[in-house]
Amino acid sequence: MNDAFLFDDAHAALSFAFHYAHRQHVGSPLGKLWKPSSEGGKGLSGVDGAAQAGMIRAEAERSGHSGYLSLIARYAPKRLRCDCGRACCSGYRANEEWQESVAVLGDLSIRALSGCVSNRRLRVGIVRRYFGERIKLAELAGLCGVAENTASAHNGKIARYLREIESAAWLIVSDRLISAEIVKNEQAA
Ligand SMILES: [Zn+2]
């Protein structure tokens, strides 16, 4: 009877949804990576997969604006394969959705720094670092022309702010995905 759930947990569902739009290229490494069988989805393909990704995104959006951005920043790929074939191409290009999310979160994170003079570039760098980009804080401070201890103080405040946003969004979206029977309810299993 309960055949509706497709994913073992909310992590798998969100990863699927935020990668989905980027795997149109059949046979590309991402396309292979996201074959349903490797993701725990039951026979997702074509339109059904797109519809499912859309449903999951819609649930994620209901965690609020900053919450949704934090889920994109956590689950969307930072970069995508590029097949442009130009000599200068590294084979990858930035994922604009991820870039935009960390940029907006960088703007919003000014709230965590009330009373401090802050540097937007530093804030965005701290957000990118929080969401897994390899950035050394000392190097970032140097690039932004701020003292290392200032960068480190701002990093602490912004990371705490982002953790609050992200954990609130996570609680909301995982409940909603279970209620929508997109994700298994482990308590009920
Ligand atoms: Zn390219």
Side-chain angles (χ1 to χ4, degrees):
M1 136 189 174
N2 194 358
D3 228 22
F5 68 75
L6 292 164
F7 295 93
D8 287 340
D9 58 42
H11 291 289
L14 291 165
S15 291
F16 168 79
F18 288 116
H19 282 75
Y20 192 85
H22 309 298
R23 55 176 205 131
Q24 310 301 358
H25 247 50
V26 178
S28 75
L30 261 180
K32 280 177 194 142
L33 183 62
W34 291 97
K35 258 189 191 162
S37 59
S38 67
E39 240 341 276
K42 292 179 186 166
L44 291 176
S45 64
V47 158
D48 290 343
Q52 188 72 24
M55 283 168 64
I56 295 165
R57 278 177 173 266
E59 297 297 345
E61 272 192 274
R62 297 174 80 161
S63 65
H65 180 232
S66 57
Y68 186 54
L69 294 172
S70 76
L71 295 171
I72 294 170
R74 179 62 67 201
Y75 289 100
K78 294 176 179 59
R79 52 182 205 163
L80 304 169
R81 296 284 301 188
C82 183
D83 301 326
C84 74
R86 286 181 210 159
C88 60
C89 184
S90 67
Y92 292 94
R93 60 192 166 83
N95 176 10
E96 279 171 29
E97 184 176 36
W98 192 84
Q99 300 283 341
E100 276 178 36
S101 296
V102 293
V104 176
L105 286 169
D107 288 334
L108 293 174
S109 66
I110 200 164
R111 294 172 188 169
L113 301 174
S114 56
C116 306
V117 175
S118 83
N119 173 313
R120 181 172 188 273
R121 190 173 176 192
L122 175 63
R123 293 197 309 275
V124 175
I126 287 170
V127 172
R128 298 175 74 96
R129 186 172 180 272
Y130 175 85
F131 286 107
E133 205 163 70
R134 280 180 203 164
I135 296 175
K136 289 202 174 95
L137 207 51
E139 282 174 20
L140 180 63
L143 282 171
C144 298
V146 303
E148 225 176 297
N149 58 0
T150 304
S152 155
H154 288 197
N155 181 63
K157 288 178 182 172
I158 291 173
R160 194 173 58 190
Y161 170 75
L162 294 172
R163 266 196 301 279
E164 281 169 14
I165 290 175
E166 193 184 3
S167 56
W170 171 253
L171 286 176
I172 293 169
V173 75
S174 40
D175 274 1
R176 295 200 66 93
L177 290 171
I178 289 169
S179 304
E181 299 190 333
I182 292 168
V183 163
K184 278 184 203 170
N185 184 352
E186 291 199 331
Q187 261 99 53

